[in-house]
Amino acid sequence: MSNYKTETKCIQSGYEPGNGEARVLPIYQSTTFRYTSSEQMGRLFDLEESGYFYTRLQNPTNDAVAAKICDLEGGVAAMLTSSGQAANFYAIMNIVEAGDHIVCASALYGGTYNLYAHTIKKMGVEATFVDPECTQEELDAAFQENTKAVFGETIANPALVVLDLEKFANAAHAHGVPFIVDNTFATPINCRPFEWGADIVTHSTTKYMDGHAACVGGAIVDSGKFDWETHKEKFPGLTTPDETYHGIVYTEKFGKGAYITKATAQLMRDLGSIQSPQNAFLLNIGLETLHLRVPRHCENAVKVAEYLKNHEKVAWVRCPSLPGDKYYDLAQKYMPNGTCGVITFGLKGGRDAAVEMMDRLKMVAIVTHVADARSCVLHPASHTHRQMNDKELVEAGVQPDLIRFSVGIENIEDIIADVEQALR
Ligand SMILES: *Cc1c(COP(=O)(O)O)cnc(C)c1O
């Protein structure tokens, strides 16, 4: 970790050119890397030596961007993935096997909910979903002998539940398993989950990190704080010989780098969800202004939320940074400088009025996206969460009338004027 402040890390971390080298991180648009000795190439394949040989495993552009995200989160190692979905899949699969179990806060992004509730179940991994507001006892009761991880989102998309990070971290550690946090909505500008006990952080870099809706991507960061060796019997994949690499033991050979090295060496090798170097380059440009954009998103979101709250046609508004919000106190504790640019609201006219209002917006677009510079709206019950039944929707904290409003960084007067004419 560098000693720079967050704003400086956004710009300077991850890439330091040598004398006469490109000032801007170059795009290594190459699948492969040349060696003059076949023996050295062999050592790379055995993980005996570090170096680039094939972009599915590692690429210099991707590594520099991963290093920047790692520094922003205060971790020890990180990797990029092709999407946020791939990041959340790998983060779990790296430490579970068929027959294992995970505990998840139930307020989750729809795709992540499907991944953990249905897809990994077919691979033999079960998930128990707990109400994020459960008591310590209820949370403890969700653990089983075979539980290997706890998962939650800092700010749930789209339920906007602020997770009590310390409560979940304590429960995970009391049961000898890591706490994995999807920090997509808060970003390391507003919250660094490692400071609250999280062990591993994931991101959909598609959102604020890229910030311009230009490329889909993901990242996994390891804090290096979870001691796999102390819980050896639970994590044989990290603490016993890997026969596919001539019997190396990740924790012995790579120490704090064990988790990310294993995810790269096994999961990337076998499943191949890499980010293209071109996308990593664009992501890096987005990261350079993250510290400027995120506060403006948050400021605009609070103003739109205040406007909506006072509007006669609006039934309810959710914005964790707004005094009176159910999660205001947790937000003040974990994210005193702001939460995110996404707010949700419902109209007195219910679901039909929601759809009509959205159709009447002129500048604010209906798109399946959040967290980019442009203001946009989505109706989760008809779009992102449409595979869920009503019970699953309510568990995920998504009311049928909920409009998700991703407030952009346009002039606030223009955003409110558009909402005003649509409501009228
Ligand atoms: C969008 C999102 C994801 C999935 O990311 P993709 O990049 O779309 O695959 C995961 N978690 C959260 C919180 C998200 O908002």
Side-chain angles (χ1 to χ4, degrees), residues 237-280:
L238 283 155
T239 60
T240 61
D242 178 358
E243 294 314 328
T244 68
Y245 278 111
H246 308 299
I248 62 162
V249 175
Y250 290 99
T251 46
E252 280 173 12
K253 193 159 174 68
F254 300 103
K256 290 188 184 305
Y259 175 88
I260 292 292
T261 304
K262 177 178 179 288
T264 304
Q266 288 181 348
L267 299 179
M268 246 350 154
R269 178 195 62 189
D270 300 348
L271 302 172
S273 313
I274 55 164
Q275 187 163 134
S276 83
Q278 176 81 40
N279 278 7

Short mmCIF file of all heavy atoms in Angstrom, two decimals, residues 237-280:
data_model
loop_
_atom_site.label_atom_id
_atom_site.label_comp_id
_atom_site.label_asym_id
_atom_site.label_seq_id
_atom_site.Cartn_x
_atom_site.Cartn_y
_atom_site.Cartn_z
N GLY A 237 -7.96 -26.15 -0.26
CA GLY A 237 -7.50 -25.66 -1.57
C GLY A 237 -6.33 -24.70 -1.44
O GLY A 237 -5.52 -24.58 -2.35
N LEU A 238 -6.27 -23.99 -0.32
CA LEU A 238 -5.19 -23.03 -0.11
C LEU A 238 -4.05 -23.59 0.72
O LEU A 238 -2.93 -23.10 0.67
CB LEU A 238 -5.75 -21.77 0.59
CG LEU A 238 -6.53 -20.81 -0.29
CD1 LEU A 238 -7.52 -19.98 0.52
CD2 LEU A 238 -5.56 -19.89 -1.04
N THR A 239 -4.37 -24.61 1.54
CA THR A 239 -3.39 -25.05 2.55
C THR A 239 -2.85 -26.46 2.32
O THR A 239 -2.06 -26.94 3.14
CB THR A 239 -4.03 -24.99 3.95
OG1 THR A 239 -5.17 -25.86 3.96
CG2 THR A 239 -4.47 -23.58 4.32
N THR A 240 -3.28 -27.12 1.24
CA THR A 240 -2.72 -28.44 0.93
C THR A 240 -2.20 -28.42 -0.52
O THR A 240 -2.57 -27.53 -1.29
CB THR A 240 -3.78 -29.57 1.09
OG1 THR A 240 -4.85 -29.31 0.18
CG2 THR A 240 -4.30 -29.63 2.52
N PRO A 241 -1.35 -29.37 -0.89
CA PRO A 241 -0.70 -29.32 -2.21
C PRO A 241 -1.68 -29.29 -3.39
O PRO A 241 -2.68 -29.99 -3.39
CB PRO A 241 0.12 -30.62 -2.25
CG PRO A 241 0.37 -30.94 -0.81
CD PRO A 241 -0.85 -30.49 -0.07
N ASP A 242 -1.36 -28.41 -4.37
CA ASP A 242 -2.13 -28.34 -5.60
C ASP A 242 -1.42 -29.22 -6.62
O ASP A 242 -0.35 -28.88 -7.12
CB ASP A 242 -2.19 -26.88 -6.08
CG ASP A 242 -2.94 -26.74 -7.41
OD1 ASP A 242 -3.38 -27.77 -7.96
OD2 ASP A 242 -3.09 -25.60 -7.88
N GLU A 243 -2.04 -30.36 -6.92
CA GLU A 243 -1.41 -31.31 -7.83
C GLU A 243 -1.28 -30.77 -9.24
O GLU A 243 -0.43 -31.21 -10.02
CB GLU A 243 -2.17 -32.65 -7.84
CG GLU A 243 -2.10 -33.41 -6.51
CD GLU A 243 -0.69 -33.46 -5.90
OE1 GLU A 243 0.31 -33.49 -6.66
OE2 GLU A 243 -0.59 -33.45 -4.66
N THR A 244 -2.12 -29.76 -9.59
CA THR A 244 -2.01 -29.21 -10.94
C THR A 244 -0.82 -28.26 -11.06
O THR A 244 -0.54 -27.74 -12.13
CB THR A 244 -3.31 -28.50 -11.40
OG1 THR A 244 -3.50 -27.32 -10.61
CG2 THR A 244 -4.52 -29.40 -11.26
N TYR A 245 -0.17 -27.96 -9.92
CA TYR A 245 1.07 -27.17 -9.95
C TYR A 245 2.18 -27.90 -9.17
O TYR A 245 2.83 -27.32 -8.32
CB TYR A 245 0.85 -25.75 -9.40
CG TYR A 245 0.27 -24.81 -10.44
CD1 TYR A 245 -1.02 -24.34 -10.33
CD2 TYR A 245 1.03 -24.42 -11.56
CE1 TYR A 245 -1.56 -23.49 -11.30
CE2 TYR A 245 0.50 -23.59 -12.52
CZ TYR A 245 -0.79 -23.13 -12.40
OH TYR A 245 -1.31 -22.31 -13.35
N HIS A 246 2.34 -29.17 -9.46
CA HIS A 246 3.42 -29.97 -8.87
C HIS A 246 3.45 -29.89 -7.35
O HIS A 246 4.51 -29.82 -6.74
CB HIS A 246 4.79 -29.58 -9.43
CG HIS A 246 4.81 -29.59 -10.92
ND1 HIS A 246 4.58 -30.73 -11.65
CD2 HIS A 246 5.00 -28.59 -11.83
CE1 HIS A 246 4.63 -30.44 -12.93
NE2 HIS A 246 4.87 -29.16 -13.07
N GLY A 247 2.26 -29.84 -6.76
CA GLY A 247 2.19 -29.95 -5.30
C GLY A 247 2.55 -28.70 -4.52
O GLY A 247 2.87 -28.79 -3.33
N ILE A 248 2.47 -27.51 -5.14
CA ILE A 248 2.74 -26.31 -4.32
C ILE A 248 1.57 -26.07 -3.37
O ILE A 248 0.42 -26.40 -3.67
CB ILE A 248 3.02 -25.03 -5.15
CG1 ILE A 248 1.79 -24.65 -5.99
CG2 ILE A 248 4.27 -25.13 -5.98
CD1 ILE A 248 1.86 -23.22 -6.46
N VAL A 249 1.89 -25.50 -2.19
CA VAL A 249 0.86 -25.14 -1.21
C VAL A 249 0.80 -23.61 -1.24
O VAL A 249 1.78 -22.94 -0.91
CB VAL A 249 1.23 -25.66 0.20
CG1 VAL A 249 0.22 -25.18 1.23
CG2 VAL A 249 1.35 -27.19 0.19
N TYR A 250 -0.36 -23.07 -1.64
CA TYR A 250 -0.45 -21.61 -1.87
C TYR A 250 -0.07 -20.79 -0.64
O TYR A 250 0.65 -19.80 -0.75
CB TYR A 250 -1.86 -21.24 -2.36
CG TYR A 250 -2.09 -21.73 -3.77
CD1 TYR A 250 -2.80 -22.90 -4.02
CD2 TYR A 250 -1.56 -21.02 -4.86
CE1 TYR A 250 -2.98 -23.36 -5.32
CE2 TYR A 250 -1.74 -21.48 -6.16
CZ TYR A 250 -2.44 -22.65 -6.38
OH TYR A 250 -2.60 -23.11 -7.66
N THR A 251 -0.57 -21.18 0.54
CA THR A 251 -0.28 -20.37 1.73
C THR A 251 1.21 -20.41 2.07
O THR A 251 1.78 -19.43 2.53
CB THR A 251 -1.09 -20.84 2.95
OG1 THR A 251 -1.01 -22.26 3.03
CG2 THR A 251 -2.54 -20.41 2.84
N GLU A 252 1.85 -21.57 1.83
CA GLU A 252 3.29 -21.68 2.15
C GLU A 252 4.12 -20.89 1.16
O GLU A 252 5.05 -20.18 1.53
CB GLU A 252 3.74 -23.15 2.11
CG GLU A 252 3.37 -23.89 3.37
CD GLU A 252 3.67 -25.38 3.24
OE1 GLU A 252 4.37 -25.79 2.28
OE2 GLU A 252 3.17 -26.13 4.10
N LYS A 253 3.77 -21.02 -0.12
CA LYS A 253 4.61 -20.41 -1.14
C LYS A 253 4.35 -18.92 -1.33
O LYS A 253 5.25 -18.14 -1.61
CB LYS A 253 4.43 -21.14 -2.47
CG LYS A 253 5.49 -20.77 -3.48
CD LYS A 253 5.61 -21.83 -4.56
CE LYS A 253 6.57 -21.39 -5.65
NZ LYS A 253 7.95 -21.30 -5.23
N PHE A 254 3.08 -18.51 -1.17
CA PHE A 254 2.74 -17.12 -1.51
C PHE A 254 2.30 -16.27 -0.32
O PHE A 254 2.00 -15.08 -0.49
CB PHE A 254 1.68 -17.09 -2.62
CG PHE A 254 2.16 -17.77 -3.88
CD1 PHE A 254 1.72 -19.05 -4.21
CD2 PHE A 254 3.08 -17.14 -4.71
CE1 PHE A 254 2.17 -19.68 -5.35
CE2 PHE A 254 3.54 -17.77 -5.86
CZ PHE A 254 3.09 -19.05 -6.18
N GLY A 255 2.24 -16.84 0.87
CA GLY A 255 1.89 -16.06 2.07
C GLY A 255 0.62 -15.27 1.89
O GLY A 255 -0.42 -15.83 1.55
N LYS A 256 0.71 -13.97 2.06
CA LYS A 256 -0.48 -13.10 1.96
C LYS A 256 -1.02 -13.02 0.54
O LYS A 256 -2.14 -12.56 0.31
CB LYS A 256 -0.17 -11.70 2.49
CG LYS A 256 0.02 -11.68 4.01
CD LYS A 256 0.14 -10.27 4.53
CE LYS A 256 0.41 -10.21 6.02
NZ LYS A 256 -0.57 -10.95 6.81
N GLY A 257 -0.22 -13.45 -0.42
CA GLY A 257 -0.68 -13.44 -1.81
C GLY A 257 -1.40 -14.72 -2.20
O GLY A 257 -1.79 -14.89 -3.36
N ALA A 258 -1.60 -15.63 -1.25
CA ALA A 258 -2.11 -16.97 -1.56
C ALA A 258 -3.48 -16.95 -2.25
O ALA A 258 -3.67 -17.61 -3.28
CB ALA A 258 -2.20 -17.81 -0.27
N TYR A 259 -4.39 -16.18 -1.71
CA TYR A 259 -5.77 -16.21 -2.21
C TYR A 259 -5.85 -15.74 -3.66
O TYR A 259 -6.46 -16.39 -4.51
CB TYR A 259 -6.66 -15.35 -1.29
CG TYR A 259 -8.08 -15.20 -1.73
CD1 TYR A 259 -9.06 -16.12 -1.36
CD2 TYR A 259 -8.46 -14.11 -2.51
CE1 TYR A 259 -10.37 -15.97 -1.77
CE2 TYR A 259 -9.77 -13.94 -2.93
CZ TYR A 259 -10.72 -14.88 -2.55
OH TYR A 259 -12.02 -14.72 -2.97
N ILE A 260 -5.22 -14.60 -3.97
CA ILE A 260 -5.29 -14.06 -5.34
C ILE A 260 -4.46 -14.92 -6.29
O ILE A 260 -4.86 -15.17 -7.44
CB ILE A 260 -4.83 -12.57 -5.37
CG1 ILE A 260 -5.84 -11.69 -4.63
CG2 ILE A 260 -4.62 -12.08 -6.81
CD1 ILE A 260 -7.21 -11.54 -5.27
N THR A 261 -3.33 -15.45 -5.81
CA THR A 261 -2.53 -16.30 -6.69
C THR A 261 -3.31 -17.55 -7.07
O THR A 261 -3.33 -17.96 -8.23
CB THR A 261 -1.21 -16.72 -6.00
OG1 THR A 261 -0.52 -15.55 -5.61
CG2 THR A 261 -0.33 -17.54 -6.94
N LYS A 262 -4.01 -18.14 -6.09
CA LYS A 262 -4.80 -19.34 -6.40
C LYS A 262 -5.94 -19.01 -7.36
O LYS A 262 -6.18 -19.73 -8.33
CB LYS A 262 -5.38 -19.94 -5.12
CG LYS A 262 -6.27 -21.14 -5.38
CD LYS A 262 -6.79 -21.75 -4.08
CE LYS A 262 -7.70 -22.93 -4.34
NZ LYS A 262 -9.01 -22.54 -4.88
N ALA A 263 -6.60 -17.87 -7.13
CA ALA A 263 -7.71 -17.49 -8.02
C ALA A 263 -7.22 -17.28 -9.45
O ALA A 263 -7.90 -17.63 -10.41
CB ALA A 263 -8.40 -16.23 -7.49
N THR A 264 -6.01 -16.74 -9.59
CA THR A 264 -5.44 -16.52 -10.92
C THR A 264 -4.97 -17.85 -11.52
O THR A 264 -5.30 -18.19 -12.66
CB THR A 264 -4.23 -15.55 -10.83
OG1 THR A 264 -4.68 -14.35 -10.21
CG2 THR A 264 -3.67 -15.23 -12.20
N ALA A 265 -4.20 -18.58 -10.73
CA ALA A 265 -3.56 -19.80 -11.24
C ALA A 265 -4.57 -20.90 -11.56
O ALA A 265 -4.38 -21.66 -12.50
CB ALA A 265 -2.52 -20.30 -10.24
N GLN A 266 -5.64 -21.00 -10.75
CA GLN A 266 -6.61 -22.07 -11.00
C GLN A 266 -7.86 -21.57 -11.74
O GLN A 266 -8.21 -22.07 -12.81
CB GLN A 266 -7.08 -22.69 -9.68
CG GLN A 266 -6.03 -23.54 -9.01
CD GLN A 266 -6.56 -24.14 -7.71
OE1 GLN A 266 -7.61 -23.76 -7.21
NE2 GLN A 266 -5.82 -25.08 -7.17
N LEU A 267 -8.53 -20.57 -11.16
CA LEU A 267 -9.82 -20.18 -11.73
C LEU A 267 -9.66 -19.46 -13.07
O LEU A 267 -10.38 -19.75 -14.02
CB LEU A 267 -10.61 -19.32 -10.73
CG LEU A 267 -10.94 -20.02 -9.41
CD1 LEU A 267 -11.71 -19.09 -8.47
CD2 LEU A 267 -11.76 -21.29 -9.65
N MET A 268 -8.72 -18.51 -13.14
CA MET A 268 -8.52 -17.82 -14.42
C MET A 268 -8.00 -18.80 -15.47
O MET A 268 -8.43 -18.78 -16.61
CB MET A 268 -7.52 -16.70 -14.25
CG MET A 268 -7.99 -15.30 -14.43
SD MET A 268 -9.60 -15.00 -15.08
CE MET A 268 -9.88 -13.42 -14.34
N ARG A 269 -7.09 -19.67 -15.04
CA ARG A 269 -6.55 -20.66 -15.98
C ARG A 269 -7.68 -21.52 -16.56
O ARG A 269 -7.75 -21.74 -17.75
CB ARG A 269 -5.54 -21.56 -15.25
CG ARG A 269 -4.95 -22.66 -16.13
CD ARG A 269 -4.25 -23.73 -15.29
NE ARG A 269 -5.17 -24.40 -14.40
CZ ARG A 269 -4.81 -25.24 -13.43
NH1 ARG A 269 -3.54 -25.52 -13.24
NH2 ARG A 269 -5.71 -25.82 -12.67
N ASP A 270 -8.58 -21.98 -15.66
CA ASP A 270 -9.58 -22.97 -16.10
C ASP A 270 -10.87 -22.35 -16.61
O ASP A 270 -11.56 -22.94 -17.44
CB ASP A 270 -9.90 -23.91 -14.94
CG ASP A 270 -8.66 -24.67 -14.47
OD1 ASP A 270 -7.63 -24.63 -15.18
OD2 ASP A 270 -8.72 -25.30 -13.40
N LEU A 271 -11.25 -21.19 -16.08
CA LEU A 271 -12.54 -20.60 -16.46
C LEU A 271 -12.39 -19.39 -17.37
O LEU A 271 -13.29 -19.08 -18.14
CB LEU A 271 -13.34 -20.24 -15.21
CG LEU A 271 -13.61 -21.42 -14.25
CD1 LEU A 271 -14.23 -20.94 -12.95
CD2 LEU A 271 -14.51 -22.45 -14.91
N GLY A 272 -11.26 -18.68 -17.24
CA GLY A 272 -10.89 -17.68 -18.25
C GLY A 272 -11.69 -16.39 -18.34
O GLY A 272 -11.75 -15.80 -19.42
N SER A 273 -12.27 -15.92 -17.24
CA SER A 273 -13.06 -14.67 -17.31
C SER A 273 -12.15 -13.45 -17.19
O SER A 273 -12.24 -12.69 -16.23
CB SER A 273 -14.10 -14.64 -16.20
OG SER A 273 -14.78 -15.85 -16.13
N ILE A 274 -11.31 -13.25 -18.19
CA ILE A 274 -10.37 -12.12 -18.11
C ILE A 274 -10.99 -10.83 -18.59
O ILE A 274 -11.92 -10.83 -19.38
CB ILE A 274 -9.09 -12.38 -18.95
CG1 ILE A 274 -9.45 -12.71 -20.39
CG2 ILE A 274 -8.25 -13.44 -18.31
CD1 ILE A 274 -8.28 -12.58 -21.34
N GLN A 275 -10.42 -9.73 -18.10
CA GLN A 275 -10.80 -8.43 -18.63
C GLN A 275 -9.86 -8.15 -19.80
O GLN A 275 -8.68 -8.47 -19.73
CB GLN A 275 -10.64 -7.36 -17.53
CG GLN A 275 -11.18 -6.01 -17.96
CD GLN A 275 -11.42 -5.04 -16.80
OE1 GLN A 275 -11.04 -3.89 -16.89
NE2 GLN A 275 -12.07 -5.47 -15.73
N SER A 276 -10.39 -7.55 -20.86
CA SER A 276 -9.48 -7.25 -21.98
C SER A 276 -8.59 -6.07 -21.57
O SER A 276 -9.04 -5.18 -20.85
CB SER A 276 -10.26 -6.90 -23.24
OG SER A 276 -10.64 -5.54 -23.22
N PRO A 277 -7.34 -6.05 -22.01
CA PRO A 277 -6.44 -4.94 -21.68
C PRO A 277 -7.01 -3.60 -22.13
O PRO A 277 -6.82 -2.58 -21.48
CB PRO A 277 -5.15 -5.30 -22.42
CG PRO A 277 -5.21 -6.77 -22.62
CD PRO A 277 -6.66 -7.11 -22.77
N GLN A 278 -7.73 -3.61 -23.23
CA GLN A 278 -8.36 -2.37 -23.74
C GLN A 278 -9.36 -1.84 -22.70
O GLN A 278 -9.39 -0.65 -22.40
CB GLN A 278 -9.09 -2.70 -25.06
CG GLN A 278 -9.86 -1.56 -25.66
CD GLN A 278 -8.96 -0.61 -26.43
OE1 GLN A 278 -8.04 -1.04 -27.13
NE2 GLN A 278 -9.21 0.67 -26.30
N ASN A 279 -10.18 -2.73 -22.15
CA ASN A 279 -11.14 -2.30 -21.13
C ASN A 279 -10.43 -1.84 -19.86
O ASN A 279 -10.85 -0.89 -19.22
CB ASN A 279 -12.10 -3.45 -20.78
CG ASN A 279 -13.25 -3.54 -21.78
OD1 ASN A 279 -13.25 -2.85 -22.78
ND2 ASN A 279 -14.21 -4.39 -21.49
N ALA A 280 -9.35 -2.54 -19.50
CA ALA A 280 -8.61 -2.16 -18.30
C ALA A 280 -8.04 -0.74 -18.46
O ALA A 280 -8.03 0.06 -17.53
CB ALA A 280 -7.49 -3.16 -18.02
#
